[in-house]
Amino acid sequence: QVQLVESGGGLVQAGGSLRLSCAASGRTFWSYAMGWFRQAPGKEREFVARISWSGGSIYYADSVKGRFTISRDNAKNTVYLQMNSLKPEDTAVYYCAAHSSSQAMGLMTYEYDYWGQGTQVTVSS
């Protein structure tokens, strides 16, 4: 069982930065691949970024590539999402998620076993 708690969301002007954190409980955090997803009002939850258990494999959605950076600190049971050059279209609730499958690409919501409660990110123009 893994419990995930996101933090770091807030209101920021376009062009600004935020860093989201996702703290995980459990001794086996290091064995889980982690992902960030987001959901804007009236839209489906969409993939943002994912990182393998070791941090050696990282993948981003095209919409955030070059602006967002995912990282993890297994000693702190935490995964991060550094968001730079934010745009109004980045406004959404951001969720972190965990999965333990070695076969999953980690790009789809159904591949994940555990989810956090989400943190709101609002980017004003």
Side-chain angles (χ1 to χ4, degrees), residues 34-49:
M34 301 296 296
W36 285 96
F37 288 75
R38 66 186 182 187
Q39 188 166 18
K43 295 188 177 181
E44 293 188 354
R45 195 169 296 189
E46 66 174 5
F47 170 78
V48 175

Side-chain angles (χ1 to χ4, degrees), residues 14-54:
S17 298
L18 283 174
R19 188 175 83 153
L20 305 183
S21 299
C22 174
S25 66
R27 298 180 180 179
T28 58
F29 170 77
W30 60 268
S31 67
Y32 286 85
M34 301 296 296
W36 285 96
F37 288 75
R38 66 186 182 187
Q39 188 166 18
K43 295 188 177 181
E44 293 188 354
R45 195 169 296 189
E46 66 174 5
F47 170 78
V48 175
R50 69 104 168 106
I51 186 168
S52 63
W53 67 270
S54 67

